[in-house]
Amino acid sequence: MSYRYHHPKSSEITPESIYQQRRQWLQSAAVLGAAWALKIPAAQAAGLGARIRAPHPQTYRLNEPWTPYEDVTGYNNYYEFGLDKGDPKAQAGQLVTDPWSVRIGGLCHRPGQYALEDLVSPYALEDRVYRFRCVEAWSMVIPWLGFPLADLIKRAQPAASARYISLTTLQRPEQMPGQRSIDLHWPYREGLRLDEAMHPLSFIALGLYGRPLLAQNGAPLRLVVPWKYGFKSIKSIVAIDFLEQMPISTWARMAPSEYGFYANVNPHVDHPRWSQARERRLPNGLFSPHWQPTLMFNGYAQEVAELYRGMDLRRYF
Ligand code: MTE
């Protein structure tokens, strides 16, 4: 199957209301829906369509208004392209994301350099709507398109000794101006405990709003872990390694007292410099600030609290 990225012009972007209607149709005609969503020619979609999954549990659908496409794609953190929230949209257009490959390595039985086509093609694509909570106390609701991280992990066949995964972003300073000007420990790196990574909510996104990811959102593939602060959701992944020891993530390395490895959304544990008790739901403005209380595990406690049973979440923040 060939898998090509189509970067939409703004005139091509479907208004949210129409997309919501279309999405209902997508659920009932998932085969064609996936072809439409990823711009795959109909003939090639037949093979893909056979693998589209059945409807998903309610948790993955979320009955809250979606954050408009313009905000999801125009207000971001992607420090490889600058510090301001508008920088990724302004600067990421120069990033070349095709061809793309991901190196899978460390403690697993199927290491290798996998072309994106080969990583993606065996999987059924799903559309899921998740809450997304940034550590800086803004939040969004985003309809993603992708597949569970667990699918990829199972295919890599981790060794019995593997307890963590680490994920690494592309390092390409010539196309990523922030890597030339910002003093972060490049390349951006994140990690998860293997059981967190295998949890059915952990997701590899290839698209949002039924469109392939734009560069500013982490094209061509990025992680989404909806019960953790947004910085865990690493973008433009080029490597996944299976490890015995806990990896050191970029933010934990930069400021260990501020950014822990776990980074579970927790309204009871403040960031040393600000409260985590509430959040601004985007879009917002001076007269409509849209503050709302932050939920434990970002509202996914029923699904994930068990992963942390017996742990002191103040210590392991
Ligand atoms: N991944 C990389 N490679 N570089 C980054 O700077 N920022 C993180 C995360 N992933 C970041 C990254 C942070 S702080 C947030 S809040 C989210 O990306 C933002 O993702 P979004 O584009 O979905 O809003």
Side-chain angles (χ1 to χ4, degrees), residues 17 105 126 138 157 166 203 230 240 244 280:
S17 55
E126 296 185 10
W138 44 272
Q157 296 177 9
S166 102
F203 200 58
I240 299 178
E244 199 170 344
R280 281 185 300 125

Side-chain angles (χ1 to χ4, degrees), residues 76-80 134 140 169 188 217 222 230 233 235:
N76 303 77
N77 280 333
Y78 196 166
Y79 293 107
E80 283 83 340
C134 182
M140 303 193 263
T169 293
Y188 196 98
N217 291 106
R222 55 88 56 86
S233 292
K235 294 171 162 173

Side-chain angles (χ1 to χ4, degrees), residues 248-268:
I248 301 178
S249 348
T250 294
W251 287 108
R253 186 186 291 272
M254 299 297 295
S257 60
E258 302 194 7
Y259 307 104
F261 175 81
Y262 283 95
N264 291 318
V265 174
N266 189 340
H268 313 299

Side-chain angles (χ1 to χ4, degrees), residues 34-162:
W36 165 76
L38 290 178
K39 301 278 176 194
I40 297 164
Q44 290 171 8
L48 173 68
R51 292 185 291 263
I52 288 287
R53 283 172 207 264
H56 335 290
Q58 200 54 38
T59 325
Y60 307 155
R61 308 237 69 110
L62 205 67
N63 197 17
E64 290 175 24
W66 302 353
T67 304
Y69 187 86
E70 285 303 321
D71 296 280
V72 176
T73 57
Y75 188 94
N76 303 77
N77 280 333
Y78 196 166
Y79 293 107
E80 283 83 340
F81 297 103
L83 290 174
D84 290 340
K85 305 285 179 252
D87 284 344
K89 181 178 178 178
Q91 306 279 357
Q94 57 190 300
L95 182 67
V96 176
T97 58
D98 182 9
W100 194 271
S101 65
V102 178
R103 182 186 59 72
I104 295 188
L107 303 168
C108 70
H109 298 296
R110 308 244 347 250
Q113 188 81 34
Y114 292 88
L116 182 63
E117 293 78 10
D118 299 330
L119 268 187
V120 170
S121 60
Y123 303 116
L125 297 181
E126 296 185 10
D127 55 334
R128 296 182 174 192
V129 181
Y130 280 163
R131 286 187 206 94
F132 189 82
R133 169 61 156 80
C134 182
V135 74
E136 294 166 275
W138 44 272
S139 68
M140 303 193 263
V141 172
I142 305 177
W144 300 105
L145 192 68
F147 59 88
L149 174 58
D151 285 0
L152 191 154
I153 292 177
K154 283 182 212 150
R155 200 155 158 246
Q157 296 177 9
S161 53

Side-chain angles (χ1 to χ4, degrees), residues 80 103 165-171 184-192 231-235 238-239 241 243 247-253 261:
E80 283 83 340
R103 182 186 59 72
I165 64 165
S166 102
L167 305 100
T168 309
T169 293
L170 178 72
Q171 181 157 22
L184 209 77
H185 200 272
W186 308 111
Y188 196 98
R189 185 162 292 143
E190 258 309 335
L192 293 170
F231 67 87
K232 296 299 279 186
S233 292
I234 183 170
K235 294 171 162 173
V238 292
D241 287 283
L243 308 170
I248 301 178
S249 348
T250 294
W251 287 108
R253 186 186 291 272
F261 175 81

